[in-house]
């Protein structure tokens, strides 16, 4: 049986109102905040801060509750979110595409190879050519396949850039960090 007195949790808040720590003290004991800071009772049991967001933030005390306050400027939030959207665009762009029941790689090497095959097919000199697919299986491509396959690749590329442009516009149109953070990449 544990006869230890229950703990109380205190938020230690600096002069600017930011939480700089949490102290857990036994019932009846008093917290010991550093000079210039104040202790605010959070509860009669150990209290943990909420999960930290994935952006720079400071812990603050709001109406007796701990909350994370976004410390980014709107411009910083926009730059960071656009970079995330650019990474998502590139992952989609270079992550492969499907055509006629097969999944093709779409990295720069594959794009270059398909362009060469498309050009050769346009000159009517492309022989039936084995092509390694994204799953490492093989498919024979013919000259007749190349215009349709090339169009599918172009649609894939165009779709990735169109989706990025729409997300970038939404981010740049946002007037708060929360609006910026609601812009996500649709898979």
């Amino acid at each position: 049986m544990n006869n230890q007195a229950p703990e109380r949790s205190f938020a230690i808040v600096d002069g600017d109102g930011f939480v700089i720590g949490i102290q857990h003290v036994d019932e009846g004991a008093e917290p010991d905040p550093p000079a210039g800071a104040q202790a605010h009772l959070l509860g009669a049991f150990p209290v943990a801060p909420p999960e930290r967001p994935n952006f720079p933030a400071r812990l603050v005390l709001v109406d007796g509750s701990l909350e994370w306050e976004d410390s980014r400027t709107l411009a910083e939030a926009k730059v960071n979110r656009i970079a995330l959207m650019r990474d998502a665009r590139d992952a989609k762009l270079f992550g492969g595409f499907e055509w006629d029941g097969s999944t093709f790689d779409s990295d720069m090497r594959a794009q270059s190879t398909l362009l060469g095959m498309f050009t050769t097919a346009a000159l009517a000199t492309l022989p039936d050519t084995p092509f390694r697919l994204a799953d490492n299986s093989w498919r024979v491509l013919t000259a007749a396949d190349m215009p349709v396959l090339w169009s599918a690749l172009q649609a894939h590329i165009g779709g990735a850039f169109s989706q990025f442009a729409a997300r970038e516009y939404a981010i740049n149109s946002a007037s708060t960090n929360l609006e910026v953070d609601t812009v996500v990449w649709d898979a």
Side-chain angles (χ1 to χ4, degrees):
M1 182 173 191
N2 187 350
N3 291 332
Q4 194 173 22
E7 290 184 344
R8 295 180 302 154
S9 295
F10 289 85
I12 308 303
V13 181
D14 68 13
D16 294 322
F18 294 105
V19 176
I20 58 174
I22 298 174
Q23 286 185 3
H24 304 288
V25 298
D26 292 332
E27 187 66 41
E30 292 299 319
D32 185 24
Q38 297 178 346
H40 297 270
L41 179 65
L42 293 173
F45 50 87
V47 174
E51 185 176 333
R52 187 178 187 96
N54 62 356
F55 51 79
R58 292 190 67 173
L59 198 56
V60 295
L61 187 64
V62 177
D63 297 327
S65 297
L66 296 172
E67 294 181 10
W68 289 104
E69 179 178 88
D70 194 340
S71 61
R72 302 170 296 171
T73 66
L74 181 58
E76 289 170 334
K78 287 180 177 185
V79 165
N80 293 341
R81 183 57 64 160
I82 288 172
L84 284 174
M85 295 300 106
R86 189 173 291 117
D87 290 345
R89 177 207 61 205
D90 290 348
K92 179 177 178 89
L93 184 64
F94 301 123
F97 72 103
E98 290 192 17
W99 173 73
D100 193 37
S102 297
T103 302
F104 291 79
D105 287 322
S106 60
D107 58 14
M108 291 305 293
R109 181 175 175 209
Q111 288 183 35
S112 177
T113 301
L114 291 171
L115 174 60
M117 292 174 71
F118 170 72
T119 304
T120 303
L123 299 172
T125 59
L126 180 71
D128 291 356
T129 305
F131 191 86
R132 186 180 299 271
L133 300 173
D135 66 0
N136 287 323
S137 65
W138 291 91
R139 176 173 179 161
V140 175
L141 296 175
T142 67
D145 291 333
M146 294 315 302
V148 185
L149 177 57
W150 184 251
S151 292
L153 174 59
Q154 293 307 298
H156 170 74
I157 292 169
F161 277 98
S162 292
Q163 188 173 355
F164 175 74
R167 300 309 177 271
E168 185 178 43
Y169 178 81
I171 291 165
N172 285 327
S173 298
S175 58
T176 67
N177 288 3
L178 183 60
E179 289 175 2
V180 168
D181 291 339
T182 62
V183 178
V184 296
W185 187 268
D186 298 327

